[in-house]
Structures are given as C-alpha cells and as structure tokens.
Amino acid sequence: MRFYHPRRPFRISGRKFVCAACCIIFLGLFFLRRSNPSTILRSFAGQANLVIFDDELNLDHWSDLSYDTELERVTSPVFTGKQALKVTHSAAYSSFFMQSPYLIPAESIQFLTFNIYGGGTAHQWIKIRLANEDGEWVFGILHEIKPNRWQTVELPMASFGEIDQVRAIIVQNAADEPLESYYIDDFKLVFGDENSGSEEDGVYELQVDASTVTHAISPLIYGVNLVDERMGDELNVSVSRYGGNSTSRYNWKNNAANLGHDWYFMSVPRDGDESTLPHGSETDRFVEQNIRTQTQTIMTLPLMGWAAKDREVRCGFSVEKYGEQEETEYWHPDCGNGVLLEKENENGYILDADPTDASMPIDEQFVQEWLEHLTSKYGTAADGGVQFYSMDNEPMLWSHNHRDVHPEHTTYDEVRDKTYLYASVVKQTDPSAQVIGPAVFGWPAYFYSALDLKHPEGHVDRLAHGDIPFLEWYLQQMAAYEADTGTRILDVLDIHYYPQAEGVSLNPVGDQATQQRRLRTTRSLWDPDYADESWIREPVMLIPRMHEWVDSNYPDTKRSISEYNFGGLEHVNGAVAQADVLGIFGRENLHMATLWGWRNINADQPWAYTFRMFRNYDGQKSTFGDKSVVATSENEWDVSVFAARRTEDDALTIMIINKRFELADIELNLDGVADARFADVYQYSADDLHRIQSLGSERILHDQASLSLPSQSITLLVFEDVSYTDPPPEPTPTLKPTPTPSPADDPLPHAPVNPTPVAEPKFRQTVNHQQSAEIEYQWLKVEVPANTFAEDVYFDISLAEHLRHPAVDLDDLLLSNQPIDFEMAAYSTASGRSVDLSPGRILTVDLQMAQETAERLATGSITLLQWDPTDREWGTAEVAYDASKPTNVSFSVSQLSSWNMQDSQRKLFLPMIRR
C-alpha cells in the first residue's frame, strides 16, 4: 500500500488522459532508442562521482531525453561555480530525463545528490526517479521545492528500493499542471563506501557557539516505557509510560488486562496481592516506584469501552465456541488467534465474537473512579502524583489488536468524541494533570483513519472531513473544544514512531549494511532532504513536521513521541544510534519521548549506557545540559555534535558521536567562552560495553581541541567554571539602490533606496530579554520569547510609509487591492550595543484584526519579506491566512537570518496581507 504526501497527492485525473497517453508514447520511443543487448557495463570502481550537471550538462556521458521540459543554463541563482540549470516543466508529469549509454551498477552508487532552488511559489513538488536496465521506472521519491533558497538533496541508493542497474535519472513534475521554473546545480552520482557521507579520510570540523542559547531542552525526552526501579534509578530516567496494547483493556479494580492480538486475545491477571485490590495493583506499584526514583509517570487510560472481565484466564476467541483456528495458545488450547481454519471471509477473521467472553463494558465513570483512587493515594499532578494521562494506545489499530471487542475500523469522529469524553474527566478530576494523545501507531495514522486504510473505496473518512490529514484535523477539534468551553483538554500531541527502513526498528543489530542504514535513519527525525529508505520514500522530517502541525492548528500544544525504537539496542551500533536520537530530540525541541523495549531490554545493555551518558555519566546523576546551544558538524552523517549549558552550574556539555566504522579525527572549534580551560572527558565505545570510561581532562587552547574518537563511539566533554562571552556583532550591510519594477512585473516591494530614518517612531517599547514579551501596534502583535536577545532591546513598530505602494491609502487600509506593508525594526540594546537575533530562536507574528476589519478582508496569504544583504534581494516566506481568525506565523533564524539589526533602516520583516 502506498501513501502519498498529505498535501499534494500524486494522481492522474481523467482530464489528463492525453498527458498519460503522451507518456505511453514516449516510453515506446524510449524502448526503441534503448541500446541493444551489447551495451557495455562500465566499471566505476574507484571513481568519486559521475556528474550530470556542473556548470553544463555532461553530454559526454548522458543523453538528454527530456520531454515537455525546457533546460537553460543561467548565471543566477548559482550554488557553486558559474552557472546553474534552469528547469521549466511546461506540462503535467513532464520530465528532466537523462539517459546513460552505460548500465551503472546500483551497488557502486552511494547516493544521488543535487542542489535545488525554487521559485517564489510554495508547495511545488517533484519526483526523483531512476530507470533500470529494462527501462522501467522505479518508485519515485517525492521532494518539495522550497521557494527562494538553495537546498542540498542527498538520496541514498537504498531509498530507491530494489534496482540492480541504473540506466537513466529522471526528475519529474509531480503535479497535474505545469510547474514554476526551478534551478539545479551540482547534480551527480556519488560512488564509494557507504560508510562515509562525503569524505573518506581527513579531519572532521565541529563548531560550538557556547554563547548562543537557542531554547531549553526538556528533561522529559529521556524517558523509557515500563521502566523497572533499578533502570529508573541508575539511568536517571525522567519519565516512564505505562503503555502498550494490553493497557487498552487494563482493569484497575481487579488488576487484570487483555493481551489482544499480542497473545491470543487472552484476559489474564497481573501480579499483585489479590486480597488488597484495588490497592497494591500493578499500576499502583508502578507509580510508587516512579515516585521513589523521581521519575514522572504517564498512565494510559482505556477509552475503547472494555476492560478485562475478572482475574480468571479467559479467551476472546474460544475454540470450543467459535471453531478450529489457525493457532492456539500452548498452555490454554481453547484460546485461539481469531482466524478460522475454514475461512468465512477474506481473512478468516471471527467477526461476531461476544465481547463479554473475556471483557466487561466500562465507561467514563470507571475511569473517573480510577483517577480518584490515584489522586487520593499519591496526590494530584501538582502534588507529585501522576503527571500525564494518555488517551489510550494506538486507536487506529483497535480493529486489529482488539478485534474481539472492537471489530469496527476506528474513525476520525470516534477518536475525537472519546477524547472529548475521557480527557474532560481528567481535567475535572485533576486539573493539574496533563493529557496526551492520540498516541497513533505510525506514518499512515498521522494522515488517515483506520477506516480510510481499510475501506475498499479508499480514503472515505478523510474526504468526509474536508480531506484534512487526521492529526491536523484532531488538533483543530481540540482547539475548537477549548474555544467552546474555555478548557484545554489536550496538552501534548503524542505519536508513535518506528522507522520503516529494512532491519532497523525493533530488530537486532544486523549486518554492517543494516547498521549503516540504522545510523542514516536518524535523519528521518529532522532532515527535510533525507528521503526515507522504506516504502515511505519521502522526507519524514518528523519533529519539524510535528511543530508545523501544532503551530498551524493548535498553538502551545507540546509534542511527544511516547513509543520509538531504532533497534540494535543490544549492540554498540544501537547505542550510537540512540545517542544521535537523544541529541536530535534536544536540538529539535521535542517535549517528551519514551523508548519502547519493555521485556526485551535491561539496564546492562549498550543502549542503557547511552542514557547514562546523558543522565548519569559519572554515577552521581550529573546530566547533559538543559539549555541548547548552537553546535554544527561539517559532516553530521559521519560525526554529529550536540551541545548545551547546564542551568544548575552553567557548565558547558558537548556530546560528540562518531558514527563511522573507523577512527575519526576531530577538530573542535569553540566560540563564546572567555579563557583557556579544561574539559572532563567521558566516553562509551566497543572497547568496554559495560562501563563509561572517564578519560581525565582535555585542555582546550585558543578555542580549539584535536581529538581522535574510536569507531562507533559516544564522547562527552564537560566544561565547568566557564565564563561566556556575548556573540560578536556583525558588520552593518550597505543597501544599494534596487530598480523598482512595474507592479505588473513584480508586485513585491524592493529594498529601499537609502530610506530616511524615522525621527520620532510612532511606537516604542523596551523588551526585557529575560522574559517573554508581546509587542503590539494596532492589530500587529509580535511575540518575543525570553532569551532571544542577550540584553534589553528597544523595538519600534510603525507603518512602513517609505516602502508602501502608492495605491495604499494609510487612512483606510481596506480601500486598496494592493498589499499592506508593515515594518518592525529593532534599535539597540539598553547598553547601546548592537543587537543579534540568536540562531535557532523563533519570532512569532500574530496577525489579529477587529471583527469589522476581518469581515471586509478576504482570506488570502501572508508574505513575509526580509532583505538579504548578501544577495541584495528580498527573501520571502508565504503562509495561508484566514481573516476571520487570528493567525500565528513562526519564523526561525534560518528564515530571518541572524545579522545585526540596530537602526531604523534594518528591516527584520515586513508582513504583507494579500487580498
């Protein structure tokens, strides 16, 4: 089953039959033009790469068979060298098509890479495809072209699926209409050992800017499901979840659960003193141990409406009652797997089982009584009791995992309605507790309901809900509940994530190819240029995607991944991957995460030492820092680096992960610290799988250190007693005049020609750098998070009269059809020094209007412009805007840049509303 991108599904409509016919005709011509069987198989051993375009098309090696596509060499924009290739697709599904006269062994190719620059329109999509020796196209990898900026795309060969020989490379328009022109540069195949991302030998440059704090790292990312007490204590686990399939039917009164599809749909008693129940149950003991180890608790609540019947072993699908089944439990042969030997339907499933065979009906009163039990024994969340309640477990799999009581496929409405019902019970019983949900199982469930995935007519449920992807719709419904009632019933958006690449998740370590794939797969958590090496075959960029869902649909909701597993946990390879995952969680600002392993993991395995490196590296529960600072690696596919400052003592901690299968020489460059210093060094590697080694001190002189790190290793540097410096100011750019185009050619304003400073600003406000602030002017509001700036900052906000279009009437902003321009300028710090926006910080523009204004302004889009002093042009970012409701738009430093902005001529951003 294939799942396409939720925003732009790839399909051919009936009206595009002509185009499809053209494709068929073209393929026929392609086969006719193919070389005969005597085509040589060229050897590429020892070759570094095979260029497709670098200043010009490599027509010595490739034949240009592009169709409905114009290729033009241009001198701007260019990524490197003198020229880039402008690509214009003039028809639906047209292609930039390059064929080789040779058959290229796929096993010799490490990855396909290119740099791409989009036009001004957002949400433009292409597919990157390969043709095999028979001319057949392999499944395409979708890629979204980002407007007005260069992206580096690197696609491992494994992401293209099974292909032995490569005959052609195709970049196809993924839309059923012409595509805006884009630009490609440095297009090539890279050969060599998959062990390295881009360099085989040499020194890896790492850069840490200790003065630039980007955000707080949540301690809740260091969590584990169903942790035992020793593990919770030694690993200093921050949060543990009582979760999994059996918790969907856990009965807190009799301390029993149904195992569902995991184990023959059996209801079984849990360990505990039966005479004291409900006191002393498994969940009581779980909460108590977490309190002793200072571990926060996530408790899963049953929402399906069923729980284990009693403390007897009972069968959901009795063989005696329903007939012979494919499998039965060894010790309880009357308990079958619910699949009849004599199939009565396609799957042979028993669909008419009596749910009361092994379970009993429950409702919200049952759950409320459980919450009252927990709060009476352990206090509310505010008093140290259960902090989080999860809205069941993987609801889109109920019809599979619990089909003896829930054979119907779960729908959008069911998940929403049950969340409304049970989450409101949580808030009524313990208002200080946080609700997390919906805990969906993985990629398909982010976008579709179970009914969508199983219905013979396709995605009927999603289409019935405005064709909105499930999680986005879910967030919208939670926002609607708060708007209607004044109560927030969802605090944390929670999902599960199991990487789908072959041999990775929940698997043992595997061979070297699998180990390399595991280490690459961590990129799926964040990298927009990494196409997933699985049936997904497009960028997952999971955490940024979660941020986007929340920011667009229910702001201020936190984000959690309460089940994940990258496999290999018994091996140093899995430990290294886990270290990369924890570092990414912190850098990408995830709020909470809990590793899934349950009975297959223990505190003596390599993965556990990764947690110790972050949470208890010295045996004294010293931790990695909780304030993320900027840390970069020139080749993080091989060597990644994460850095943070620790609040309690302001120590600087730097975690370096060597993902190579050989030693890596490191050059660490350290900015933002005032003097020479020593770092305590801790390391975990295959040299000793049962101990973190304390390697003494490493001296850092002139802000540099040279290190040699063992293969597949994790190294922590801890700098104590550090003095930090402020980031240095960057030089003020000089704006040169830019010709003003006619409105018909370019409706966007260009850089001002030496604009006159505003002598008396219309609005001025001082922002305290230690506190979050909201700056308001008319209906423009700017939110500035705490610590965005190093000191107090003066802000001026006014109508940008010198940039306005002549047709804009400032006395009545609603009369014009032209954009409305606004300017926000940061002047200087309280001490008079220049102002730098910290990299990684986010400024949020919250556009709100009076009702009478909103009613007169049509829904459209907001374009934010920022002057780039290097390229001397306006960069743009565009988002949809609904005038009938407030719109929040967040822009990171990567979009705004971090150059100095100290006077009225420096434009941080210009929001424009198009009508």
Side-chain angles (χ1 to χ4, degrees), residues 436-483:
I436 76 173
V440 290
F441 70 88
W443 183 257
Y446 305 161
F447 308 112
Y448 305 100
S449 70
L451 181 61
D452 284 324
L453 300 175
K454 296 295 184 178
H455 199 283
E457 296 181 10
H459 306 146
V460 295
D461 197 20
R462 172 165 158 170
L463 291 173
H465 292 82
D467 199 18
I468 302 173
F470 170 69
L471 283 179
E472 294 185 61
W473 180 88
Y474 177 84
L475 286 167
Q476 292 171 10
Q477 300 305 299
M478 298 303 110
Y481 185 96
E482 182 178 4

Side-chain angles (χ1 to χ4, degrees), residues 412-639:
Y412 277 49
D413 289 349
E414 182 181 9
V415 178
R416 176 199 60 195
D417 294 345
K418 288 185 172 177
T419 302
Y420 280 2
L421 181 62
Y422 287 89
S424 62
V425 167
V426 173
K427 292 299 184 179
Q428 291 164 13
T429 309
D430 183 0
S432 64
Q434 296 188 49
V435 172
I436 76 173
V440 290
F441 70 88
W443 183 257
Y446 305 161
F447 308 112
Y448 305 100
S449 70
L451 181 61
D452 284 324
L453 300 175
K454 296 295 184 178
H455 199 283
E457 296 181 10
H459 306 146
V460 295
D461 197 20
R462 172 165 158 170
L463 291 173
H465 292 82
D467 199 18
I468 302 173
F470 170 69
L471 283 179
E472 294 185 61
W473 180 88
Y474 177 84
L475 286 167
Q476 292 171 10
Q477 300 305 299
M478 298 303 110
Y481 185 96
E482 182 178 4
D484 290 342
T485 66
T487 301
R488 173 183 274 270
I489 59 168
L490 181 76
D491 301 285
V492 184
L493 173 68
D494 180 52
I495 64 174
H496 296 171
Y497 181 63
Y498 291 98
Q500 297 297 292
E502 182 181 359
V504 175
S505 182
L506 297 169
N507 279 281
V509 65
D511 58 18
Q512 182 165 318
T514 301
Q515 294 180 43
Q516 292 167 338
R517 189 181 309 118
R518 174 174 292 110
L519 297 174
R520 292 194 302 269
T521 299
T522 63
R523 293 171 61 183
S524 66
L525 291 170
W526 66 273
D527 190 351
D529 297 325
Y530 173 72
D532 202 65
E533 299 176 50
S534 72
W535 55 267
I536 295 174
R537 296 177 187 267
E538 67 173 280
V540 173
M541 50 182 184
L542 186 66
I543 302 174
R545 192 185 293 268
M546 294 178 73
H547 287 307
E548 180 182 351
W549 286 334
V550 166
D551 293 342
S552 300
N553 298 286
Y554 196 15
D556 299 325
T557 307
K558 303 179 183 72
R559 294 151 294 272
S560 166
I561 304 173
S562 66
E563 284 188 26
Y564 71 92
N565 183 299
F566 281 75
L569 299 178
E570 79 290 354
H571 191 275
V572 69
N573 175 256
V576 168
Q578 182 64 43
D580 207 33
V581 167
L582 293 179
I584 291 167
F585 284 169
R587 185 189 67 196
E588 299 297 316
N589 201 14
L590 189 69
H591 180 67
M592 187 161 61
T594 48
L595 172 70
W596 179 262
W598 198 20
R599 295 179 178 176
N600 297 318
I601 60 175
N602 62 65
D604 297 318
Q605 292 174 314
W607 73 269
Y609 287 91
T610 290
F611 273 77
R612 289 181 175 95
M613 288 289 285
F614 281 89
R615 297 288 293 171
N616 190 16
Y617 58 82
D618 58 358
Q620 303 300 312
K621 296 189 177 178
S622 297
T623 65
F624 187 71
D626 56 346
K627 296 184 293 186
S628 183
V629 302
V630 174
T632 58
S633 167
E634 66 174 359
N635 185 347
E636 63 181 295
W637 326 136
D638 285 355
V639 179

